[in-house]
Amino acid sequence: MAEVELHGGPLDGMRVDVDVDDPDPWVAIVSDWGRYPGGRSLYAPDGSGVWRWVREIPWEAL
C-alpha cells in the first residue's frame, strides 16, 4: 500500500491509500461533491504515475 494524492475532479488534493502493485489500479471513492452526490469519483494513475480523475459514477450504476 502507498499513499497517493488525487489530481482533478471533486476530490482534488485528497490523499488516499492505494495498492500500487495492482495490475489494474484504480480507486472509486464515495463522493458527495461530484456530479452525482452519493456516487463514486473514479481515479487511476496516468503514464507518469500521477493519480488523475477519470469520471463520476452515479449511485444507481453501481
Side-chain angles (χ1 to χ4, degrees):
M1 295 296 266
E3 185 177 76
V4 299
E5 183 174 347
L6 304 178
H7 294 269
L11 304 178
D12 185 48
M14 182 181 211
R15 299 186 71 78
V16 297
D17 289 324
V18 299
D19 182 357
V20 294
D21 294 325
D22 188 329
D24 186 23
W26 56 273
V27 62
I29 301 172
V30 174
S31 174
D32 287 328
W33 302 284
R35 182 175 177 186
Y36 307 107
R40 304 291 189 274
S41 293
L42 180 64
Y43 288 81
D46 66 12
S48 66
V50 174
W51 283 72
R52 301 222 181 259
W53 178 75
V54 176
R55 66 184 169 111
E56 297 297 306
I57 304 170
W59 175 255
E60 57 273 3
L62 300 174

